[in-house]
Amino acid sequence: MNLCRKMRVNPFSRPAESRRPDKILTTSPFNRYTSGAAVLCALLLNTSCLQEQEISAAAQPAAPLAAPLAAVNGSVATTPVTPLAVTPPPAAPTPVEPAEWNYPGPRPLPGAILPGKRIIAFYGNLLSTRMGILGELPPEEMLAKLDEEVANWTKADSLTPVQPALHVIVVTAQGHPSAGGKYRLRMKHKMIDDVLELARQRDAIVFLDVQVGHSTLQEELPQLEKYLRLPNVHLGIDAEFSMKNGNVPGRSIGTFDAADINYATGYLAGLVKAHQIPPKLLIVHRFTQRMITNYENIALRPETQVVMHMDGWGSPALKKDTYRRFIVKEPVQFTGFKLFYKNDLRDSPRMMAPEEIITLEPSPMYIQYQ
């Protein structure tokens, strides 16, 4: 059985999920991606989330992958399309300033989002129906569903304003060496522009998610700088696909050290200072012990806000246990909690409700739906 993100007592014993399989878009305002997405289906990693074994039968991102795609500078090769008019991103949303600061690290600079707001994010990739809800539905339906979740969380906690977000995977781990032998594939900036336009329609913030494969954050983050210096764009990094041991992504679980996270926060802090923008958020995915090492050495800076994100699926009891063991017991700053529309229901009759997630200690301030 493949590795996966389902939590068990043994943190490395988990079945596979449909977090990052790919699709061919057929109906949506983004059907101009059809030809590019068809090729991408042959590349995106089977074990993006390592949790749905049927993925490999549909030319999903399996390892090894067939029919390598010609790429330029590591980017997806797509058929020329009519450019989408993109409205410049809005200014960063004005958060509600907390009356007191009860979190680790220095009090953030003015304009920080947490903990004045709770972030509700939709995760995925516009080129894939199986990497998450962001690309699973046509854009209008996806945004309408995001509105529903925002309303649910507002009802559950009327004292904490909700900040909607779109969390898009922009560097995907691969099951073959790909361009430069890095086992990763960079999405074209055109897709990021499209996500920014969708976010504008809901005053949402955007997270750019990076799966480095055999690459590094030092190599990947500068490629995204023109977006990360925008006030409404933030960063996510996925330790699962950081293969420091040279393994193929998806065949074992990767890791980030405190030094990697410190590089990311330092990079973001430099952008905040250089461009006089509000503090940046960093989402760090975690669902096992070894995914993050030397957590106590993670540096906390006033220019950044670090969210350690519980990224596993299963029954409510298993999710709570993973949150307790890998997030609460190794505290960093803020916490996040992930919900899976499909995989959370595989061994359970229900997903966790906002009302019960809010009661966790500490209460998660970043909620992600896949």
Side-chain angles (χ1 to χ4, degrees):
M1 179 175 291
N2 290 336
L3 291 171
C4 64
R5 296 198 168 195
K6 182 177 178 183
M7 294 74 65
R8 299 187 185 280
V9 174
N10 181 345
F12 291 96
S13 174
R14 309 152 37 109
E17 91 162 269
S18 61
R19 177 175 147 194
R20 302 177 178 93
D22 57 295
K23 70 159 190 175
I24 298 177
L25 289 177
T26 57
T27 58
S28 84
F30 290 89
N31 60 12
R32 59 185 173 279
Y33 287 114
T34 301
S35 58
V39 182
L40 181 64
C41 287
L43 286 172
L44 291 174
L45 178 62
N46 172 34
T47 54
S48 302
C49 198
L50 306 170
Q51 294 181 348
E52 289 207 16
Q53 299 176 355
E54 67 267 25
I55 292 167
S56 59
Q60 304 302 325
L65 301 174
L69 174 68
V72 179
N73 296 326
S75 296
V76 178
T78 58
T79 301
V81 296
T82 303
L84 174 70
V86 178
T87 303
T94 303
V96 176
E97 295 292 345
E100 55 183 302
W101 181 250
N102 295 319
Y103 296 86
R107 190 182 182 102
L109 299 175
I113 293 176
L114 301 179
K117 291 185 175 183
R118 177 175 281 108
I119 299 167
I120 306 301
F122 270 15
Y123 170 93
N125 182 301
L126 290 182
L127 302 181
S128 172
T129 58
R130 306 187 73 178
M131 292 175 73
I133 189 64
L134 180 60
E136 182 175 348
L137 300 176
E140 294 83 357
E141 293 181 30
M142 181 273 294
L143 291 176
K145 192 171 184 65
L146 177 60
D147 292 340
E148 293 177 6
E149 297 297 358
V150 167
N152 291 338
W153 283 89
T154 300
K155 180 179 178 181
D157 181 9
S158 60
L159 299 180
T160 305
V162 173
Q163 172 61 61
L166 301 180
H167 193 127
V168 57
I169 311 162
V170 297
V171 180
T172 64
Q174 299 291 293
H176 59 86
S178 66
K182 298 293 186 178
Y183 288 84
R184 60 91 176 93
L185 191 68
R186 297 170 182 161
M187 301 294 101
K188 281 188 173 292
H189 286 178
K190 178 65 169 62
M191 190 187 71
I192 302 177
D193 294 337
D194 291 343
V195 172
L196 285 171
E197 171 59 19
L198 290 174
R200 183 195 63 78
Q201 297 176 33
R202 291 300 188 276
D203 291 326
I205 59 176
V206 171
F207 291 90
L208 306 183
D209 204 81
V210 175
Q211 303 168 3
V212 297
H214 288 193
S215 184
T216 63
L217 294 175
Q218 287 85 344
E219 183 176 350
E220 299 305 318
L221 297 192
Q223 304 298 321
L224 300 169
E225 180 169 328
K226 80 172 197 175
Y227 293 106
L228 290 173
R229 66 191 183 194
L230 299 175
N232 62 327
V233 177
H234 304 270
L235 179 66
I237 57 176
D238 199 338
E240 179 184 0
F241 300 104
S242 172
M243 314 312 295
K244 294 182 181 297
N245 55 10
N247 287 351
V248 174
R251 298 184 185 178
S252 63
I253 297 174
T255 184
F256 276 136
D257 186 71
D260 299 301
I261 297 171
N262 289 342
Y263 169 77
T265 59
Y267 185 87
L268 294 174
L271 295 179
V272 170
K273 295 174 183 176
H275 300 283
Q276 296 296 299
I277 52 179
K280 291 290 183 182
L281 288 151
L282 174 66
I283 309 300
V284 183
H285 301 274
R286 185 178 193 181
F287 59 87
T288 72
Q289 183 73 30
R290 298 178 189 176
M291 284 176 70
I292 304 297
T293 56
N294 299 309
Y295 80 95
E296 65 278 4
N297 295 330
I298 295 174
L300 299 178
R301 314 170 192 271
E303 300 87 3
T304 60
Q305 300 192 290
V306 179
V307 176
M308 199 60 61
H309 176 52
M310 197 290 289
D311 190 11
W313 64 267
S315 68
L318 288 174
K319 294 175 79 77
K320 290 177 183 178
D321 182 64
T322 298
Y323 184 76
R324 175 183 59 82
R325 293 199 297 157
F326 306 134
I327 305 299
V328 177
K329 282 191 174 182
E330 296 193 356
V332 178
Q333 191 170 31
F334 296 96
T335 64
F337 202 89
K338 190 164 187 174
L339 294 165
F340 295 80
Y341 282 116
K342 295 179 180 177
N343 288 329
D344 279 352
L345 299 177
R346 291 180 64 169
D347 296 322
S348 174
R350 68 180 183 88
M351 290 174 58
M352 291 183 69
E355 290 79 5
E356 61 184 318
I357 297 174
I358 287 170
T359 63
L360 296 174
E361 287 291 340
S363 185
M365 299 305 296
Y366 172 85
I367 306 298
Q368 185 182 97
Y369 286 87
Q370 178 165 328

